[in-house]
Amino acid sequence: MPPKTTDLVEDEELDTLADETAAAARRVVAAYATDAEECVMLFSMLGIAPGEDD
């Protein structure tokens, strides 16, 4: 079985998203989420904060 990606990369090594990329991701997630709870869950999974302004 191949290793999990979390086993290969430490959190500190991951680059943060550019502000414009995160803003675009928030817009797409918000457009396709079925409700606010799902939207917040997807934001969390993507590592983008829901409260940040564009």
Side-chain angles (χ1 to χ4, degrees), residues 1-21:
M1 176 182 284
K4 297 180 205 172
T5 56
T6 55
D7 293 341
L8 301 176
V9 178
E10 295 295 324
D11 287 339
E12 299 84 35
E13 295 176 10
L14 296 175
D15 293 331
T16 57
L17 291 175
D19 290 339
E20 58 197 34
T21 303

Side-chain angles (χ1 to χ4, degrees), residues 2-50:
K4 297 180 205 172
T5 56
T6 55
D7 293 341
L8 301 176
V9 178
E10 295 295 324
D11 287 339
E12 299 84 35
E13 295 176 10
L14 296 175
D15 293 331
T16 57
L17 291 175
D19 290 339
E20 58 197 34
T21 303
R26 282 192 292 276
R27 285 191 295 272
V28 171
V29 168
Y32 286 97
T34 57
D35 56 23
E37 184 178 335
E38 181 181 53
C39 188
V40 171
M41 177 193 62
L42 293 170
F43 282 168
S44 176
M45 292 172 76
L46 292 171
I48 52 178

